Amino acid sequence: MPSFDTVLETDMVKVKNAVENTSKEIGTRFDFKGTAASIELKDKDITLVGDSDFQIDQINDVLRNKLTKAGVDIRFLDVGKIEKIGGDKVKQVTKVRDGIETEQAKKIQQLIKGSKMKVQAAIQEGKVRVTGAKRDDLQAAMALIRGDMKDLPLSFDNFRD
């Protein structure tokens, strides 16, 4: 039976390279000299540290430019709130999305069920598998998911005929 998987996968190598390039640029830029500006990647969390909200925004801007140049969609970033961490320093933790969250997977499943197409959707550990009798139905389901879930950088893989 034909099927495909709807996934949300980030290329962490490109993200790591973008964070390292951002760190290098922060180290060489004149407006960051003598400040606490830094960026760090741990697991799937990017931590930005700076002296002010404005500086955090500047680091964020550099990071987004580097990610875009590396071909990583910035919709993968789940930006957190800016927090004070003592003295005059602030930090912001940005999570890198990887895998479809349960509520988003349920939303995709309900979308497919509500469309009255002859396809079924099953949630499987961070992805949604869609199966159907015809290839055309699966392609229509892909178009439906792409059109409705614009806030997520979804991709489709494992297409079986």
Side-chain angles (χ1 to χ4, degrees), residues 73-122:
D73 196 328
I74 59 172
R75 293 180 293 174
F76 280 114
L77 300 180
D78 187 14
V79 180
K81 292 183 179 177
I82 297 176
E83 309 164 2
K84 291 203 176 283
I85 56 170
D88 59 347
K89 293 181 177 47
V90 290
K91 81 171 186 176
Q92 181 179 43
V93 178
T94 302
K95 296 189 182 306
V96 180
R97 295 180 187 171
D98 198 29
I100 300 174
E101 295 173 6
T102 308
E103 73 179 52
Q104 294 164 335
K106 286 181 181 177
K107 193 174 176 184
I108 292 171
Q109 193 175 29
Q110 292 301 322
L111 174 71
I112 289 174
K113 280 184 181 177
S115 70
K116 305 288 187 210
M117 288 183 186
K118 294 182 180 177
V119 294
Q120 293 82 35

Side-chain angles (χ1 to χ4, degrees), residues 137-154:
D137 292 340
L138 292 179
Q139 289 173 341
M142 281 183 191
L144 178 71
I145 294 169
R146 262 198 201 105
D148 198 63
M149 305 296 283
K150 291 186 188 303
D151 58 330
L152 295 176
L154 296 171

Side-chain angles (χ1 to χ4, degrees), residues 50-57 82 88-90:
D51 289 339
S52 65
D53 293 6
F54 177 74
Q55 199 171 52
I56 293 287
D57 290 341
I82 297 176
D88 59 347
K89 293 181 177 47
V90 290

Side-chain angles (χ1 to χ4, degrees), residues 4-8 108 128 130 138 141-147 153-159:
F4 68 87
D5 292 335
T6 305
V7 295
L8 185 71
I108 292 171
V128 179
V130 180
L138 292 179
M142 281 183 191
L144 178 71
I145 294 169
R146 262 198 201 105
L154 296 171
S155 58
F156 306 102
D157 67 355
N158 214 6
F159 194 92

Side-chain angles (χ1 to χ4, degrees), residues 2-58:
S3 68
F4 68 87
D5 292 335
T6 305
V7 295
L8 185 71
E9 290 180 343
T10 313
D11 188 351
M12 287 306 290
V13 173
K14 288 182 179 179
V15 172
K16 182 180 177 206
N17 288 340
V19 169
E20 288 173 356
N21 289 338
T22 302
S23 181
K24 285 178 189 173
E25 185 168 328
I26 289 170
T28 59
R29 271 182 45 172
F30 180 75
D31 56 341
F32 290 122
K33 291 276 189 227
T35 64
S38 67
I39 185 169
E40 181 181 288
L41 176 68
K42 271 191 184 167
D43 296 326
K44 296 193 185 315
D45 294 339
I46 301 171
T47 306
L48 311 173
V49 177
D51 289 339
S52 65
D53 293 6
F54 177 74
Q55 199 171 52
I56 293 287
D57 290 341
Q58 292 294 310

